[in-house]
Amino acid sequence: MEKRTVALLVAALSAGLAACVDLDEQLVTGLANKPYDSPQVFEALVNATYEPLRSFWAQERGFTVTEFGTDIFTKGADGSHKYINDYTTQLNADESFFRDTWDDFYRAINTANAVIGRAPIVQMDSSRRAQRVAEARFLRALYYFVLVQMYGPVTLTLQETQGVTTEARRAPVDSVYDAIIDDLRYAEANLDYATPDYGRVTKGAAQHLLAKVYLTRLRSDDPAADEALKQQAGDSANAADFALRVISSGRYQLLPRFADVFDFSNERNAEVVWSVQFTTDPLTTGNGNRGHLYFLMEYDVMPGMKRDIANGRPFKRFRPTPFLLGLYDRSKDSRYDAQFTRVWYANNTATIPRDSTGAPKFQLGDTAVYVSATDADTALVKLKPYRLYTPRTYADNIFPSLNKFHDGFRLSINEERGSRDYLLFRLDETYLIAAEALLRDGRAADALPYINAVRRRAAIPGHETEMELTPAQLTLDEVLNERARELAGETMRWFDLVRTHTLVARVRAHNPDGAPNIQPFHVLRPIPSTQLQRTTCCYTQNPGY
């Protein structure tokens, strides 16, 4: 996908303001004087609709509002916004992460509305125009999908706002979902599975999101109403249908090993249905993929260690809960070792500890820090020359570190902008959506092969059969457990728990920091108090992106 930026424009304007000499308008970009019916400006508007993806996914904001305060991640040592995890009274309508998500996504929606509304007057090939409109409608649906899950009834605006508006009304949740589904069905009908510009929306992405939307729309404020809603709308059957369209398309396949999915040298692999794009160019990557920062323990102050690019810059924001770490049967499931770093090798001669004779206790390249997965290793703590931590000695800054976002290609040890693509839709999740939808549709026998396909792929070689679930083991709770094992840290968990009416129960059971304060009303995020008065005013993204 073509990526553009307004950084040079901002710099030029800033320089002009500082000089305060020449106030004549200067043409900075060739887009400035072109009519909106020109293909060039139309394409730029479409590209601008993608840009806000990078304000939420692969950013601290997205990780915080979806992983904090769940059963699988809790607060680490550093950072702010910890009340989102703890569910204190500071989790309110003034919280900046809720306000900024609202603002950014409504700007994006208005840009999409501009694309859709102005498309008929654009002079370009009709099939290409329909494809671009389909991309914009997909993106509008995605932004609304996040908003309706987070806030419930929200403002539903499907036309471009070109002037100032001072009032807005919240639309019923059902109306928002109807608009989302209408957009996604249009996108599916007008997009292909392949695109010459990698990163643009595809038919497979539309089908995957449709499956997830239908699965999520089953949620209601009253859990007892789900069965009636399912019978009326057939949402679980639709969710299964669209997930199976992706799986049976032949365009995607599960990679042989779970670890292969996050191989940075193979990020455009057959399992990726759709990803948010980042680059190594600071002019095109925005804030970059910052996921590499937040899930790491404080290794760099340990004896024999210093911060380096390979091990990452440890912000230690998100700490895995004991529940998450205990979900993996390490005797047969490869995913614990594949996605959690537990050993660090000495890279700093100056801080290697010395024994009574003055000799270093270990050498460069030897184990310096080991985070054990079992308290059975407690007896070894005093016997080993390196630092050894067991679960009973984990702390807010000491824990197994989720490594699926590691980025060894950053320019310096303190560089925060990563260039790894953010894998937003993956086929393994499509399989799990299919399993959950079929299970909730009363077809457990049909669901079992899909969850077992994911589990067999995750098996340590030779243990594939042992990893398979039996029909009696296939429950909604087990589907949620499997999503935790497979998708840990991937900006989904809060949505998963709200969708399945398990947020309060699971947080109370598995997140000690959030347990005392969480209440049923926390299944929705508070709408920022001023936002309904300025939801749609002048929110078109700059087409220079």
Short mmCIF file of all heavy atoms in Angstrom, two decimals, residues 172-212:
data_model
loop_
_atom_site.label_atom_id
_atom_site.label_comp_id
_atom_site.label_asym_id
_atom_site.label_seq_id
_atom_site.Cartn_x
_atom_site.Cartn_y
_atom_site.Cartn_z
N PRO A 172 -28.90 3.43 18.51
CA PRO A 172 -28.97 2.12 19.16
C PRO A 172 -27.88 1.19 18.65
O PRO A 172 -27.45 1.27 17.49
CB PRO A 172 -30.37 1.61 18.76
CG PRO A 172 -31.14 2.84 18.38
CD PRO A 172 -30.14 3.79 17.81
N VAL A 173 -27.44 0.31 19.52
CA VAL A 173 -26.38 -0.63 19.16
C VAL A 173 -26.75 -1.42 17.91
O VAL A 173 -25.91 -1.63 17.02
CB VAL A 173 -26.07 -1.56 20.35
CG1 VAL A 173 -25.21 -2.74 19.91
CG2 VAL A 173 -25.39 -0.79 21.46
N ASP A 174 -27.99 -1.89 17.82
CA ASP A 174 -28.40 -2.68 16.67
C ASP A 174 -28.24 -1.90 15.37
O ASP A 174 -27.85 -2.47 14.34
CB ASP A 174 -29.85 -3.14 16.82
CG ASP A 174 -30.02 -4.23 17.86
OD1 ASP A 174 -28.99 -4.81 18.27
OD2 ASP A 174 -31.17 -4.51 18.25
N SER A 175 -28.54 -0.60 15.39
CA SER A 175 -28.39 0.21 14.19
C SER A 175 -26.93 0.33 13.78
O SER A 175 -26.60 0.32 12.58
CB SER A 175 -28.97 1.61 14.42
OG SER A 175 -30.35 1.54 14.69
N VAL A 176 -26.05 0.45 14.75
CA VAL A 176 -24.62 0.53 14.45
C VAL A 176 -24.15 -0.78 13.81
O VAL A 176 -23.43 -0.78 12.81
CB VAL A 176 -23.82 0.85 15.71
CG1 VAL A 176 -22.32 0.94 15.38
CG2 VAL A 176 -24.28 2.17 16.34
N TYR A 177 -24.56 -1.90 14.40
CA TYR A 177 -24.16 -3.19 13.83
C TYR A 177 -24.74 -3.39 12.43
O TYR A 177 -24.06 -3.95 11.55
CB TYR A 177 -24.58 -4.33 14.75
CG TYR A 177 -23.55 -4.64 15.80
CD1 TYR A 177 -23.73 -4.26 17.13
CD2 TYR A 177 -22.36 -5.30 15.47
CE1 TYR A 177 -22.78 -4.53 18.10
CE2 TYR A 177 -21.40 -5.56 16.42
CZ TYR A 177 -21.62 -5.17 17.74
OH TYR A 177 -20.66 -5.43 18.68
N ASP A 178 -25.95 -2.95 12.20
CA ASP A 178 -26.52 -3.07 10.86
C ASP A 178 -25.68 -2.30 9.84
O ASP A 178 -25.43 -2.79 8.72
CB ASP A 178 -27.96 -2.53 10.85
CG ASP A 178 -28.94 -3.47 11.55
OD1 ASP A 178 -28.60 -4.65 11.76
OD2 ASP A 178 -30.05 -3.00 11.89
N ALA A 179 -25.24 -1.11 10.20
CA ALA A 179 -24.41 -0.31 9.30
C ALA A 179 -23.06 -0.98 9.07
O ALA A 179 -22.54 -1.00 7.93
CB ALA A 179 -24.21 1.09 9.87
N ILE A 180 -22.48 -1.53 10.13
CA ILE A 180 -21.19 -2.24 10.00
C ILE A 180 -21.32 -3.41 9.04
O ILE A 180 -20.48 -3.59 8.13
CB ILE A 180 -20.73 -2.71 11.39
CG1 ILE A 180 -20.32 -1.52 12.26
CG2 ILE A 180 -19.57 -3.69 11.26
CD1 ILE A 180 -20.10 -1.88 13.73
N ILE A 181 -22.35 -4.20 9.22
CA ILE A 181 -22.53 -5.40 8.38
C ILE A 181 -22.81 -5.00 6.94
O ILE A 181 -22.29 -5.63 6.00
CB ILE A 181 -23.64 -6.28 8.96
CG1 ILE A 181 -23.14 -6.92 10.27
CG2 ILE A 181 -24.07 -7.35 7.97
CD1 ILE A 181 -24.22 -7.61 11.07
N ASP A 182 -23.60 -3.96 6.73
CA ASP A 182 -23.87 -3.50 5.37
C ASP A 182 -22.58 -3.07 4.68
O ASP A 182 -22.33 -3.42 3.51
CB ASP A 182 -24.86 -2.34 5.43
CG ASP A 182 -25.30 -1.88 4.04
OD1 ASP A 182 -25.77 -2.74 3.26
OD2 ASP A 182 -25.18 -0.68 3.73
N ASP A 183 -21.72 -2.35 5.39
CA ASP A 183 -20.43 -1.94 4.81
C ASP A 183 -19.57 -3.14 4.48
O ASP A 183 -18.94 -3.20 3.41
CB ASP A 183 -19.69 -1.03 5.80
CG ASP A 183 -20.11 0.43 5.71
OD1 ASP A 183 -20.81 0.79 4.74
OD2 ASP A 183 -19.73 1.20 6.60
N LEU A 184 -19.51 -4.10 5.39
CA LEU A 184 -18.62 -5.24 5.19
C LEU A 184 -19.12 -6.15 4.08
O LEU A 184 -18.32 -6.74 3.34
CB LEU A 184 -18.45 -6.02 6.49
CG LEU A 184 -17.67 -5.28 7.58
CD1 LEU A 184 -17.64 -6.10 8.86
CD2 LEU A 184 -16.25 -4.97 7.12
N ARG A 185 -20.41 -6.29 3.94
CA ARG A 185 -20.94 -7.10 2.83
C ARG A 185 -20.63 -6.44 1.49
O ARG A 185 -20.33 -7.11 0.51
CB ARG A 185 -22.43 -7.34 3.02
CG ARG A 185 -22.75 -8.41 4.09
CD ARG A 185 -24.25 -8.71 4.14
NE ARG A 185 -24.56 -9.80 5.04
CZ ARG A 185 -24.59 -11.09 4.70
NH1 ARG A 185 -24.28 -11.45 3.46
NH2 ARG A 185 -24.91 -12.03 5.57
N TYR A 186 -20.70 -5.12 1.45
CA TYR A 186 -20.30 -4.42 0.23
C TYR A 186 -18.82 -4.65 -0.06
O TYR A 186 -18.42 -4.91 -1.20
CB TYR A 186 -20.57 -2.92 0.37
CG TYR A 186 -20.18 -2.12 -0.85
CD1 TYR A 186 -21.09 -1.86 -1.87
CD2 TYR A 186 -18.87 -1.63 -1.00
CE1 TYR A 186 -20.73 -1.13 -2.99
CE2 TYR A 186 -18.50 -0.91 -2.12
CZ TYR A 186 -19.43 -0.66 -3.12
OH TYR A 186 -19.06 0.05 -4.24
N ALA A 187 -18.01 -4.56 0.98
CA ALA A 187 -16.57 -4.77 0.80
C ALA A 187 -16.28 -6.18 0.30
O ALA A 187 -15.47 -6.37 -0.62
CB ALA A 187 -15.84 -4.51 2.12
N GLU A 188 -16.94 -7.16 0.89
CA GLU A 188 -16.69 -8.53 0.45
C GLU A 188 -17.06 -8.72 -1.02
O GLU A 188 -16.36 -9.39 -1.77
CB GLU A 188 -17.49 -9.51 1.32
CG GLU A 188 -17.06 -10.96 1.09
CD GLU A 188 -18.20 -11.96 1.14
OE1 GLU A 188 -19.37 -11.53 1.19
OE2 GLU A 188 -17.92 -13.17 1.11
N ALA A 189 -18.14 -8.10 -1.43
CA ALA A 189 -18.61 -8.27 -2.81
C ALA A 189 -17.72 -7.55 -3.82
O ALA A 189 -17.71 -7.93 -5.00
CB ALA A 189 -20.04 -7.76 -2.93
N ASN A 190 -16.98 -6.55 -3.40
CA ASN A 190 -16.25 -5.71 -4.36
C ASN A 190 -14.72 -5.80 -4.23
O ASN A 190 -14.02 -5.07 -4.93
CB ASN A 190 -16.68 -4.26 -4.20
CG ASN A 190 -18.08 -4.01 -4.72
OD1 ASN A 190 -18.27 -3.81 -5.92
ND2 ASN A 190 -19.07 -4.06 -3.83
N LEU A 191 -14.23 -6.67 -3.37
CA LEU A 191 -12.79 -6.83 -3.21
C LEU A 191 -12.36 -8.21 -3.65
O LEU A 191 -13.15 -9.16 -3.63
CB LEU A 191 -12.39 -6.60 -1.74
CG LEU A 191 -12.56 -5.18 -1.20
CD1 LEU A 191 -12.33 -5.16 0.31
CD2 LEU A 191 -11.61 -4.21 -1.90
N ASP A 192 -11.09 -8.33 -4.02
CA ASP A 192 -10.49 -9.62 -4.36
C ASP A 192 -9.66 -10.12 -3.19
O ASP A 192 -9.30 -9.36 -2.29
CB ASP A 192 -9.60 -9.48 -5.60
CG ASP A 192 -10.40 -9.11 -6.85
OD1 ASP A 192 -11.55 -9.58 -6.96
OD2 ASP A 192 -9.88 -8.33 -7.67
N TYR A 193 -9.31 -11.40 -3.23
CA TYR A 193 -8.44 -11.95 -2.20
C TYR A 193 -7.02 -11.40 -2.31
O TYR A 193 -6.31 -11.29 -1.33
CB TYR A 193 -8.41 -13.47 -2.28
CG TYR A 193 -9.65 -14.13 -1.72
CD1 TYR A 193 -10.59 -14.70 -2.58
CD2 TYR A 193 -9.88 -14.19 -0.35
CE1 TYR A 193 -11.73 -15.31 -2.07
CE2 TYR A 193 -11.02 -14.78 0.15
CZ TYR A 193 -11.94 -15.35 -0.70
OH TYR A 193 -13.07 -15.95 -0.20
N ALA A 194 -6.61 -11.08 -3.53
CA ALA A 194 -5.25 -10.57 -3.74
C ALA A 194 -5.30 -9.09 -4.10
O ALA A 194 -6.28 -8.60 -4.66
CB ALA A 194 -4.58 -11.35 -4.86
N THR A 195 -4.25 -8.38 -3.73
CA THR A 195 -4.13 -6.97 -4.08
C THR A 195 -2.68 -6.69 -4.45
O THR A 195 -1.76 -7.22 -3.81
CB THR A 195 -4.56 -6.06 -2.91
OG1 THR A 195 -4.26 -4.70 -3.24
CG2 THR A 195 -3.84 -6.43 -1.62
N PRO A 196 -2.45 -5.89 -5.50
CA PRO A 196 -1.06 -5.59 -5.87
C PRO A 196 -0.34 -4.73 -4.83
O PRO A 196 0.89 -4.73 -4.78
CB PRO A 196 -1.20 -4.85 -7.20
CG PRO A 196 -2.59 -4.30 -7.19
CD PRO A 196 -3.41 -5.29 -6.44
N ASP A 197 -1.09 -4.01 -4.00
CA ASP A 197 -0.50 -3.17 -2.96
C ASP A 197 -0.69 -3.87 -1.62
O ASP A 197 -1.77 -3.77 -1.01
CB ASP A 197 -1.16 -1.79 -2.92
CG ASP A 197 -1.01 -1.05 -4.24
OD1 ASP A 197 0.03 -1.22 -4.88
OD2 ASP A 197 -1.94 -0.31 -4.61
N TYR A 198 0.35 -4.57 -1.17
CA TYR A 198 0.23 -5.33 0.07
C TYR A 198 -0.14 -4.40 1.23
O TYR A 198 0.45 -3.34 1.40
CB TYR A 198 1.54 -6.04 0.40
CG TYR A 198 1.43 -6.99 1.57
CD1 TYR A 198 0.96 -8.28 1.39
CD2 TYR A 198 1.77 -6.58 2.85
CE1 TYR A 198 0.84 -9.15 2.46
CE2 TYR A 198 1.66 -7.44 3.93
CZ TYR A 198 1.19 -8.72 3.72
OH TYR A 198 1.08 -9.57 4.80
N GLY A 199 -1.15 -4.80 1.99
CA GLY A 199 -1.62 -4.00 3.10
C GLY A 199 -2.98 -3.39 2.86
O GLY A 199 -3.65 -2.98 3.81
N ARG A 200 -3.40 -3.31 1.58
CA ARG A 200 -4.76 -2.87 1.33
C ARG A 200 -5.74 -3.96 1.75
O ARG A 200 -5.39 -5.14 1.83
CB ARG A 200 -4.96 -2.53 -0.15
CG ARG A 200 -4.27 -1.25 -0.59
CD ARG A 200 -4.78 -0.77 -1.94
NE ARG A 200 -4.08 0.42 -2.39
CZ ARG A 200 -4.39 1.66 -2.04
NH1 ARG A 200 -5.42 1.88 -1.23
NH2 ARG A 200 -3.70 2.69 -2.49
N VAL A 201 -6.95 -3.55 1.99
CA VAL A 201 -7.98 -4.49 2.43
C VAL A 201 -8.30 -5.48 1.31
O VAL A 201 -8.29 -5.12 0.13
CB VAL A 201 -9.26 -3.71 2.82
CG1 VAL A 201 -10.35 -4.67 3.26
CG2 VAL A 201 -8.95 -2.71 3.92
N THR A 202 -8.60 -6.71 1.69
CA THR A 202 -8.92 -7.77 0.74
C THR A 202 -10.27 -8.40 1.09
O THR A 202 -10.84 -8.15 2.16
CB THR A 202 -7.85 -8.86 0.76
OG1 THR A 202 -7.84 -9.47 2.07
CG2 THR A 202 -6.47 -8.30 0.44
N LYS A 203 -10.74 -9.26 0.20
CA LYS A 203 -11.97 -10.00 0.45
C LYS A 203 -11.83 -10.86 1.70
O LYS A 203 -12.76 -10.96 2.51
CB LYS A 203 -12.30 -10.88 -0.76
CG LYS A 203 -13.62 -11.65 -0.63
CD LYS A 203 -13.80 -12.64 -1.77
CE LYS A 203 -14.06 -11.93 -3.07
NZ LYS A 203 -15.46 -11.36 -3.11
N GLY A 204 -10.67 -11.50 1.88
CA GLY A 204 -10.46 -12.32 3.05
C GLY A 204 -10.57 -11.53 4.34
O GLY A 204 -11.12 -12.00 5.34
N ALA A 205 -10.03 -10.30 4.34
CA ALA A 205 -10.13 -9.45 5.52
C ALA A 205 -11.58 -9.11 5.82
O ALA A 205 -12.01 -9.10 6.98
CB ALA A 205 -9.30 -8.18 5.33
N ALA A 206 -12.36 -8.80 4.77
CA ALA A 206 -13.78 -8.49 4.96
C ALA A 206 -14.52 -9.69 5.52
O ALA A 206 -15.37 -9.55 6.42
CB ALA A 206 -14.39 -8.04 3.64
N GLN A 207 -14.23 -10.88 5.02
CA GLN A 207 -14.91 -12.08 5.52
C GLN A 207 -14.53 -12.37 6.97
O GLN A 207 -15.38 -12.73 7.79
CB GLN A 207 -14.56 -13.27 4.62
CG GLN A 207 -15.16 -13.17 3.23
CD GLN A 207 -14.61 -14.20 2.26
OE1 GLN A 207 -13.53 -14.74 2.47
NE2 GLN A 207 -15.35 -14.48 1.21
N HIS A 208 -13.25 -12.23 7.30
CA HIS A 208 -12.80 -12.45 8.67
C HIS A 208 -13.50 -11.48 9.62
O HIS A 208 -14.00 -11.89 10.69
CB HIS A 208 -11.28 -12.27 8.75
CG HIS A 208 -10.71 -12.43 10.12
ND1 HIS A 208 -10.05 -13.56 10.52
CD2 HIS A 208 -10.69 -11.59 11.20
CE1 HIS A 208 -9.66 -13.42 11.78
NE2 HIS A 208 -10.03 -12.22 12.21
N LEU A 209 -13.55 -10.20 9.25
CA LEU A 209 -14.17 -9.23 10.12
C LEU A 209 -15.68 -9.45 10.21
O LEU A 209 -16.27 -9.28 11.28
CB LEU A 209 -13.86 -7.81 9.64
CG LEU A 209 -14.33 -6.67 10.57
CD1 LEU A 209 -13.80 -6.85 11.99
CD2 LEU A 209 -13.92 -5.32 10.02
N LEU A 210 -16.31 -9.83 9.11
CA LEU A 210 -17.74 -10.15 9.17
C LEU A 210 -18.00 -11.28 10.16
O LEU A 210 -18.96 -11.23 10.95
CB LEU A 210 -18.25 -10.56 7.78
CG LEU A 210 -18.82 -9.44 6.91
CD1 LEU A 210 -18.96 -9.90 5.47
CD2 LEU A 210 -20.18 -8.96 7.45
N ALA A 211 -17.16 -12.31 10.13
CA ALA A 211 -17.32 -13.41 11.07
C ALA A 211 -17.24 -12.93 12.50
O ALA A 211 -18.04 -13.31 13.37
CB ALA A 211 -16.27 -14.49 10.80
N LYS A 212 -16.29 -12.05 12.76
CA LYS A 212 -16.10 -11.56 14.13
C LYS A 212 -17.24 -10.64 14.54
O LYS A 212 -17.67 -10.64 15.70
CB LYS A 212 -14.75 -10.85 14.23
CG LYS A 212 -14.23 -10.73 15.64
CD LYS A 212 -12.75 -10.42 15.65
CE LYS A 212 -12.18 -10.51 17.06
NZ LYS A 212 -10.73 -10.27 17.08
#
